[in-house]
C-alpha cells in the first residue's frame, strides 16, 4: 500500500474510510498474479481522471467488480464493510458460509452470505470486540481494518 497523503505518502490514515478507488488498488496490489484477468474491463464513464484507473480496469477484467452502476465505478465513494466482504469473496473464491447467520446485525443485508463466507474463512472477526457478534455491514471499512483483513486473507 501507499500512504494517504499524495505525493509524500508518509502517512497511512488508519481511521480514514477506504474509497472504491483505493479498494481497487489494495486488491490489485495484493492479488496481482494470484487472480488473473479473464475478460475485457468495463469502460466506466467516471474513472478516467482517477489515480486508480488502471487498478479499476484490472478489478473489472477479473470480474471482481461490475461497478456501482452499469456504467460507473464511483471511485471516490467509500466502501462499506458489506461491500468489502463481497469484493473479497469474489476475489478469493470463498464458498463455505459456515452454516450462515454468523452475525446478529446482517440479516437484512444483501451481503449476508458474503459476510458469512469471509468470517468462516477467518478473514474477519466482526466489529464489536471482544464479543464480535456484529459485523456492521453498513459502516465504512477503514484503511486500518482493510490492512488487517488483507493480512488475514493473504498472510
Amino acid at each position: 500500500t501507499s500512504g494517504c497523503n499524495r505525493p509524500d505518502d508518509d502517512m497511512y490514515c488508519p481511521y480514514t474510510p477506504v474509497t472504491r478507488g483505493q479498494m481497487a488498488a489494495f486488491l490489485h496490489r495484493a492479488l496481482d498474479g494470484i487472480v488473473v484477468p479473464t475478460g475485457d474491463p468495463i469502460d466506466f464513464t467516471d474513472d478516467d481522471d482517477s489515480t486508480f484507473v488502471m487498478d479499476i480496469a484490472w478489478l473489472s477484467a477479473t470480474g471482481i467488480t461490475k461497478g456501482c452502476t452499469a456504467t460507473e465505478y464511483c471511485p471516490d465513494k467509500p466502501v462499506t464493510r458489506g461491500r468489502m466482504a463481497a469484493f473479497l469473496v469474489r476475489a478469493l473464491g470463498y464458498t463455505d458460509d459456515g452454516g450462515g447467520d454468523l452475525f446478529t446485525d446482517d440479516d437484512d443485508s444483501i451481503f449476508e452470505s458474503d459476510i458469512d463466507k469471509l468470517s468462516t474463512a477467518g478473514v474477519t472477526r466482526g466489529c464489536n470486540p471482544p464479543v464480535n457478534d456484529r459485523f456492521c455491514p453498513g459502516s465504512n471499512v477503514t484503511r486500518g481494518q482493510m490492512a488487517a483483513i488483507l493480512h488475514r486473507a493473504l498472510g
Side-chain angles (χ1 to χ4, degrees):
T1 184
S2 58
C4 61
N5 59 324
R6 300 261 177 192
D8 296 335
D9 283 337
D10 60 356
M11 294 172 44
Y12 186 72
C13 306
Y15 302 105
T16 302
V18 173
T19 66
R20 289 176 57 88
Q22 291 169 345
M23 177 63 77
F26 277 130
L27 294 178
H28 186 191
R29 291 176 190 145
L31 301 173
D32 192 26
I34 297 171
V35 177
V36 179
T38 57
D40 292 326
I42 298 169
D43 187 18
F44 294 116
T45 60
D46 65 342
D47 67 343
D48 291 344
D49 294 332
S50 173
T51 301
F52 306 108
V53 67
M54 297 307 295
D55 302 303
I56 294 166
W58 178 88
L59 199 67
S60 172
T62 63
I64 295 171
T65 189
K66 303 274 191 257
C68 63
T69 72
T71 60
E72 296 177 317
Y73 181 76
C74 305
D76 297 323
K77 287 193 175 188
V79 177
T80 65
R81 290 172 53 85
R83 289 190 189 282
M84 175 270 307
F87 275 124
L88 286 173
V89 165
R90 280 187 226 119
L92 299 171
Y94 297 137
T95 58
D96 183 2
D97 70 359
D101 205 22
L102 302 180
F103 296 98
T104 62
D105 66 340
D106 65 350
D107 292 346
D108 295 332
S109 173
I110 62 171
F111 303 110
E112 182 178 20
S113 176
D114 296 315
I115 292 165
D116 291 338
K117 291 171 186 170
L118 201 64
S119 179
T120 299
V123 176
T124 186
R125 298 184 179 122
C127 65
N128 61 326
V131 177
N132 284 324
D133 63 348
R134 293 186 307 120
F135 186 76
C136 304
S139 296
N140 294 333
V141 65
T142 66
R143 290 174 56 88
Q145 290 168 343
M146 196 67 225
I149 286 165
L150 285 174
H151 175 74
R152 286 193 291 267
L154 304 171

